[in-house]
Amino acid sequence: MTSLYSSTFLPTNPLHTTLTRPATKLYAKSLQPPARIQSVLQYNRKPELSGETPRVVVITSGKGGVGKTTTTANVGLSLARLGFSVVAIDADVGLRNLDLLLGLENRVNYTVVEVLNGDCRLDQALVRDKRWSNFELLCISKPRSKLPLGFGGKALVWLVDALKDRQEGCPDFILIDCPAGIDAGFITAITPANEAVLVTTPDITALRDADRVTGLLECDGIRDIKMIVNRVRTDLIRGEDMMSVLDVQEMLGLALLGVIPEDSEVIRSTNRGFPLVLNKPPTLAGLAFEQAAWRLVEQDSMKAVMVEEEPKKKGFFSFFGG
Amino acid sequence: MASSSLQLHHPISIPVKSSPTSIFMLGFFIATTVLIVAVRVYVARKSSYKRAGSVADLVRRGQLNSGRGISKPVMYDDPFNNPQVKISKNNSTVEMCGKVYKLAPVTLTREEQDIHQKRRSRAYQWKRPTIFLKEGDPIPSDVDPDTVRWIPANHPFATTINDITEDLAQKNVYQKHGVPFRIQAEHEALQKKLEALQSDQKLNNMVIDPGTARNFERPFKSNSKLDDEQVEQKSTNGQTGSRPESQPNSHSSSTSEEKQTL
C-alpha cells in the first residue's frame, strides 16, 4: 500500500490513499485509479521508532510566541506516553519557561551552567517528571545567570554525547526548545541537532521568519525539516481572513508534521502547568499534538489536512436533542 | 388433607399450583433487587474514583503512573484509533471532538520541495559562527572574520568570559560519578585551611603548654620560700619563650585538647 502525491487530484475527486510505511512511490497519473484521502492514520498500534537514536530534534521558529515551548512540552510528553525515553532541553537562556509549562519550576535546582562549572553532575541537573518517569527536563541556565559562549555550541554537543553514554541508557529523543530569533542562543541550540521542527502560524510575519530560519538550518546542514502550523482557525480560513495550511505549505515548501487548531485550553494548561496532551478527555489541540508526535516517531508527514468545519448534519432525532 | 399436612411440614413451600402471574411478579422483584444492588455498587465505585485525593483519582488524573498495580491500568490511548476521531465512509470528512471537518490532500511534491531549497540556498548564505568575541576584542589571525559573532558587553544573557577552561568544562559534563569538581575543590581548600589552623594551634600549644612543664618540676617541699625561688629560677631559665598571656593560652590549649579528643 502506498501514498500518492498529485496536484491534479482535486478534493472533489477524493483520492484513495492507503499508507503503511513512510516511504512513498509516485504512480503514473494516467494509469492508476484515484486514491482516497486519509489524513488520520487508522493504525491501532504503537508507532515504530525510525532513524538512529538518539533523535536530536530542535524545535524552532524564528518569530517568538508562535508556540515552540508549547509544542516541545506537548510533543515531548506525547512521546513519553508512547513509551519512548525523552530528554527535553530548554535552550532559551534569557526567557526560560519550559519548566513552567511542565509544572516543574519548583524542582529545577541545577542547570547546564552549574554542570559546566563543576557545581553538580549532569544527572543531578536532570529533572525527572513524576507523571511520566521516562521524561526528563534540562534547563540551560537560570534567568539571572549568563551563558558562557566561549565554547559556542560545543557545550550542547558534549551534553548530547554524555546523555548517550549515561548509565540509564541512551534516550530515544532529545528535544531542544530553541529561543526565538537567530541570535547566539539560536546558533547554540541548533548545533547538536540532526533534524528540526519548524513551528509557525498562518500569518505573513511568522512565515517570513520561518523561511529565513529554514534557510539558516539548511546552511548549517540540517536537511530533515518538518513544519507544524499552529493556532489554525478554520472559521477564519473559510472567511478567507487567514491563509490555509496548504497556502502556508506552498509558501514554505516544507513537509507537514502537524496542524494544531486554536484552542483556549492551551492557556489554561499553561497556567496550571499541566500539558494539554494529559487532559482527559483530550481536546482537539491535544489530539493534534499526539498525532504530530506519532508522525515524528515514524518520520512521516501529513498526507491530507482539515480545511474547514462543516455544519453538523442533524438526524431525525435531532428534534429530541440527539 | 395430604396437601395441608405437606404445608404443615414445609411451611415455606409454595403451593405447587400457583398462578403464572405470581411467579412472574416474584421474578420481577428479584430482578429489580439485583439491579438496584448492582447500580448501587457501580455508583459507589464511581464515587470512590472521583473522591479527591484518592490514589485512583491520582491515577485517573495522570499524576501517578498506573503501572503500580494498585488500580486498573490505563489502556493505551491510540491517537489514531480514538473514539473521538471518526472518519467518514468516503474519507472526505473527519469528525474530531464533535466537530466535522472537510479533508483536502496535501499537494506539495518532491520537486517543489527541491525548488524551495534551491531558492533558500541562493537567498540565505550563512556561515556558522565559530568564535564569540566581546566587542572590542581583536580577531585572532587564524580565524575567518565572517565566522566571528560579536557579543556586546551588556548582553542580557550571554557572555564571552569563561571562568574555567574548555577542557575542564567538558570533563565536568562527562563526569558520571563522585563529587563534582568545584565542590571537591572547595572542600579540599576548606580542609587545607582547617589543617593549617590546627597546625598553628598545635605550635602554640607546644611552646606554652604548662602540662609538659609540670613533668619536669620537682616534688613539692615544705620550705615554701625555697620552692618559690626554684620556680622563679626555672621560669627564668627553662621557659625562655613563655608569653605574657600564658594563662589564657593554657586555658585555650586545654580546650583545644578537649576539642581534638572529641
Side-chain angles (χ1 to χ4, degrees), chain A residues 41-318:
Chain A
L41 304 174
Q42 290 296 308
Y43 301 138
N44 190 12
R45 62 176 173 86
K46 186 180 164 181
E48 291 179 19
L49 183 59
S50 174
E52 203 178 296
T53 55
R55 298 247 326 254
V56 187
V57 183
V58 62
I59 296 170
T60 182
S61 67
K63 188 168 182 293
V66 298
K68 293 182 295 297
T69 307
T70 306
T71 300
T72 309
N74 285 284
V75 169
L77 271 176
S78 299
L79 293 171
R81 282 180 65 184
L82 290 169
F84 300 102
S85 57
V86 181
V87 173
I89 301 177
D90 188 352
D92 196 340
V93 176
L95 302 173
R96 183 184 93 186
N97 48 21
L98 182 58
D99 54 332
L100 283 173
L101 255 80
L102 294 166
L104 300 174
E105 68 274 15
N106 293 330
R107 294 185 51 210
V108 177
N109 294 318
Y110 297 115
T111 64
V112 170
V113 170
E114 278 85 30
V115 175
L116 288 171
N117 290 335
D119 291 323
C120 71
R121 296 189 309 268
L122 178 58
D123 59 296
Q124 292 170 320
L126 285 165
V127 179
R128 194 177 290 273
D129 194 330
K130 289 180 181 174
R131 293 167 294 203
W132 299 97
S133 57
N134 49 345
F135 182 90
E136 291 166 288
L137 170 68
L138 179 65
C139 296
I140 285 278
S141 74
K142 289 180 181 166
R144 290 183 185 176
S145 61
K146 292 193 177 187
L147 179 69
L149 291 175
F151 315 135
K154 288 181 195 172
L156 279 187
V157 175
W158 299 334
L159 278 176
V160 168
D161 285 340
L163 287 170
K164 274 188 210 174
D165 295 331
R166 62 177 184 166
Q167 280 184 333
E168 292 87 353
C170 174
D172 296 315
F173 286 91
I174 298 175
L175 303 182
I176 303 174
D177 183 20
C178 183
I182 48 175
D183 199 359
F186 166 80
I187 297 165
T188 305
I190 67 170
T191 307
N194 303 321
E195 45 190 290
V197 171
L198 190 78
V199 181
T200 183
T201 50
D203 63 272
I204 195 70
T205 52
L207 287 178
R208 179 196 273 187
D209 292 352
D211 192 62
R212 180 79 189 267
V213 163
T214 308
L216 298 184
L217 291 170
E218 287 168 348
C219 286
D220 203 42
I222 299 174
R223 296 287 168 170
D224 185 357
I225 306 170
K226 292 195 177 69
M227 181 171 64
I228 284 183
V229 185
N230 198 13
R231 307 185 73 173
V232 172
R233 287 189 54 180
T234 49
D235 56 337
L236 291 182
I237 293 172
R238 189 173 56 216
E240 295 188 356
D241 291 323
M242 182 182 270
M243 278 187 272
S244 71
V245 175
L246 295 177
D247 292 335
V248 169
Q249 193 177 38
E250 193 182 326
M251 288 183 73
L252 291 181
L254 294 173
L256 265 175
L257 190 68
V259 174
I260 315 298
E262 177 83 61
D263 194 342
S264 55
E265 191 60 33
V266 169
I267 297 170
R268 286 191 213 107
S269 68
T270 302
N271 292 336
R272 282 164 55 204
F274 196 75
L276 205 59
V277 291
L278 299 180
N279 283 5
K280 282 193 177 178
T283 60
L284 205 58
L287 278 177
F289 276 123
E290 290 263 13
Q291 293 170 2
W294 206 99
R295 291 187 196 97
L296 184 66
V297 171
E298 293 219 339
Q299 290 186 317
D300 193 12
S301 61
M302 289 180 83
K303 302 300 181 285
V305 297
M306 302 185 298
V307 288
E308 59 177 359
E309 191 175 339
E310 267 195 356
K312 202 171 175 185
K313 289 177 186 174
K314 293 185 179 178
F316 179 76
F317 293 102
S318 64

Side-chain angles (χ1 to χ4, degrees), chain B residues 14 20-32:
Chain B
I14 299 165
T21 311
S22 59
I23 292 173
F24 174 75
M25 291 299 292
L26 185 68
F28 177 75
F29 284 131
I30 291 170
T32 308

Side-chain angles (χ1 to χ4, degrees), chain B residues 10 32 54 60 88 100 113 153 159-160 162 240 260:
Chain B
H10 301 282
T32 308
S54 66
R60 185 180 60 82
S88 62
V100 180
Q113 285 188 39
T159 177
T160 54
N162 295 328
T240 53
Q260 282 174 5

Side-chain angles (χ1 to χ4, degrees), chain B residues 6-37:
Chain B
L6 187 65
Q7 282 176 1
L8 280 173
H9 285 293
H10 301 282
I12 61 171
S13 62
I14 299 165
V16 177
K17 292 182 181 178
S18 59
S19 62
T21 311
S22 59
I23 292 173
F24 174 75
M25 291 299 292
L26 185 68
F28 177 75
F29 284 131
I30 291 170
T32 308
T33 307
V34 168
L35 184 65
I36 290 170
V37 168

